[in-house]
Amino acid sequence: MKKNKTTGNEIRQSFIDFFTEKDHNFVRSSSLVPGGDSTLLFTNAGMVQFKDVFLGTDQRKYSRATNSQKCMRVAGKHNDLEDVGQDDTHHTFFEMMGNWSFGDYYKKEAISYAWELLTEIWQLPKDRLYTTVFEDEEGVIPTDEEAAEHWSAQPGFSKDHLFYLGRKDNFWEMGNTGPCGPCSEIHYDLRPEEGPVVNKEILDSDRFTEIWNLVFIQYNRKSPDKLDPLPNCHVDTGLGLDRVVAILQEKDSNYRTDLFFPLLEAVQNLTGDTDQEREENFTPYRVIADHARAAAFLIADGVVPGNLGRNYVCRMIIRRGYRFGGHLDLHSPFLGKIAEVVIDLYQDAYPELKQNRNIILNTITREEEQFQHTIVSSTGSLEFMLDEMLEKNLTVFPGKDAADLYSTNGLPFEITRDIVRERGLEVDEEGFHKAMEQHRIISGAGNAMGDVGGEEVELYQKLLTSLQEEGKLDSGGVEYNPYGSLISQGKILALVKNGKSVQSAGEKDDIQVILPETAFYIEAGGQVSDTGIIEGKNWKIAVEDIYQPAAGMIVHQGTVLKGRPAVGDTAAAKVDQMRRKDIMRNHTGTHLLHAALDHVLGEHARQAGSLVAPDYLRFDFTHNQALTSDEIKAVEGEVNQRIREDHLLNIKHKPLQEAIDEGARALFGEKYGDVVRTIQMNDFSYELCGGTHCDRSSDIGLFLITSEGSTAAGIRRIEAVTGRKAYQLVQSRFQELKTAANYLSTGSDQVAFQTSAILEVLKKAEKSRDKLLKRLAVFELSQALENIENVEGIKLLTAQVEDADLDTLRMMADRFRQHVSESGIIVLGAVIDGSPRLIAAVTEDLIQRGIKAGDLIQYVAKQVGGGGGGRPNLAEAGGKDPEKIKDALDSVSGWIREKIK
């Protein structure tokens, strides 16, 4: 191979340039947080953002695409974490370059493009490239001879470099159902000097590295035994950037390329290691470099350290990287310095890194500092437990103990597993996950794709085709415009009931209605769907939801209120105007809240989720502590100031990259197309948003924060109301204030003062009451001492005390011991806050005879449904059944007689 000194960034760009020159549309990498896809924890492949296209629920304006996609594989079946640092090719974060065809070109072009790029543009030796195609070992699915023929036709390709592999390696499926098809892998021979490749098993050895996978999507799986051909075939390919850069730069490790080695050098600068020392400790160097890169990209995409799901992964990666620093004698926060190098290396391709530089570095350092406080104690506890295991010749560390280490000490399972394996043991991973389920700390990632491509999609795809053939819908399908008039008119194109197309529906039927156009908003971006009515001559339908089951088809879900609507009837679809305006006020209010949080708390306060409903708004954001009352007041005040300033909302459509470059916020977990809708208010709020909004900020009226709290570690939540609901809240609070003023016989402006005065009087009265009760208790005790019971020479006093608290019981027990210094026992009971409480005291001489307060209190407490304990001379207990206190106290004399036998 010709010596190639091309940089990693140039290789990425050359891939994109190659395909854009072949009429592919460049599509910006989507976020690591899959937009609108709850089945995935992270984006783990380039095709994720095109999933809806393959499922038929979305259409793009282009039929060819290319990009380099940010990916994470740290959960579910795609989990490379354990291999990171142990070899030279596995990573948590990686870039997947790819090219796609949506019903455009197919196998011939895909194979030809791949061969041309690899052998002509990148000049890889043809004799070191090997390929595989699909052959079904069960003989059910046809062998992919078409792909084999196209490979054989490539200039310079040797037919003995082609192998046939089965379903496990060369048949791709999106889920249990849905689009699927054969694939063709390209492998590169790293050590050709070892001689000819005589069998396909060698492709799985470390002599080869798989660099590219071409997936040919040509079937729709309906069941385990049924595959139907797709009307249009697609191509989905994936090529790992790190691996191909290592090959082109002639490096024996991904970590020695120019995309990784600067990170290792940054670590080496901190440790002061020589090159030889670095090579001897290469595993921690690799882990630190990988984890610093992953953390930087995660935080740039809005994922912060925490205890749940994605946030847990971010925390675990930072803490695991920090612990591996300990292997190199790095015991102070250092990962931020490595992340700085990541930002410098990748910021041109991924500008979000540069835009969020301070957030990334501060978040990483803060998490390291937090872990510093617990790592010594948590790892110390683990090491102690491992020592005990080895003494007992045990080999599997209990999963429950691993869960306790995380929930109590913040030690992630992955770090526990590392330490356990360093001692030659294993962890019960299944037991860990069961225990964590009980702790309710970690949420699962779920099935990567789920069951997709079901009957509903197929039904509506067929309906769409039929309506287009009849000329009732054009190629774009149902016209969707929720931003103009709230009323649309047209004929009913189709009705669906119980999953079947029908011609009419009757009263109380649940149905789905297809119209030629709609103004109803489809739930997205945190904003709920519109509701309303569809009505015609002598019939009416209540619309409860609206959704898009297939590309081009929009469905109104509803119930027939009266009459009998039928296909062909003229209909008017009317959005609930009042509800929509409430939603609009809340959505614009959400944007103002986001801007105010940014100003009051800092730029780290980024959106982490939202709900825009008609009656309130909910906004989750990244912040490590509760807001003070002054901060809440400042945020609420700033939002209302912006409302009063009467800002015009500037709404425009523009290319995604242009909007991002201008500083528009791309929100957490959202999915964006190539052209986006932007909402701007003056110079303080600029966001990508497809939701419905007010025309001016003043339309909101009033904004009130109703609550602020935590939803997870590092995530806060604000709930607020606007407009009508805010006015109703003010009215309600004013009425409550007037009622309170009447009770207090004062004016509304004096309620706080008068309440404070009354509370002060009440406080003094309670103190006086407590003193009187204690005096009464002392008097009752002195009375009882005159009638003390003698049990086998032991002075016994038992009593149920009315209106006593625990301090009073303790005081009475102490007074008893002052009066009875030898051979004395007291057991007292009282009902406190509806539950029995007990106290027992025993003199020192009786303790020597084996009579202990702890044993006695356990005996008595058991009879009232409770338990307790304490010192031999004084013990306390609680219970559940206050009715049994008297019987329990009466049983003490019998217990004493048994003890002194």
Side-chain angles (χ1 to χ4, degrees), residues 519-536:
F520 283 71
Y521 183 82
I522 301 173
E523 181 175 353
Q527 179 177 326
V528 299
S529 297
D530 281 330
T531 60
I533 61 168
I534 303 173
E535 59 184 351

Side-chain angles (χ1 to χ4, degrees), residues 83-100:
D83 297 318
V84 172
Q86 304 302 317
D87 63 20
D88 293 305
T89 59
H90 284 92
H91 309 291
T92 52
F93 169 90
F94 63 97
E95 290 180 76
M96 182 72 81
M97 300 188 295
N99 58 290
W100 291 268

Side-chain angles (χ1 to χ4, degrees), residues 723-762:
R724 288 194 309 136
K725 284 293 180 181
Y727 176 67
Q728 290 170 10
L729 180 62
V730 170
Q731 272 194 319
S732 171
R733 296 289 166 83
F734 264 118
Q735 186 57 50
E736 289 173 3
L737 185 62
K738 289 177 182 177
T739 301
N742 289 335
Y743 284 142
L744 296 170
S745 301
T746 188
S748 295
D749 59 343
Q750 293 294 308
V751 166
F753 173 79
Q754 190 71 10
T755 302
S756 177
I758 290 173
L759 288 174
E760 188 63 32
V761 170
L762 183 61

Side-chain angles (χ1 to χ4, degrees), residues 3 51 121 197 227 427 431 437 457 480 692 717 724 763:
K3 192 70 175 176
K51 175 181 169 183
I121 305 301
V197 178
L227 288 176
V427 185
E437 186 66 28
V457 174
Y480 176 63
T692 60
R717 170 174 291 175
R724 288 194 309 136
K763 189 175 179 182

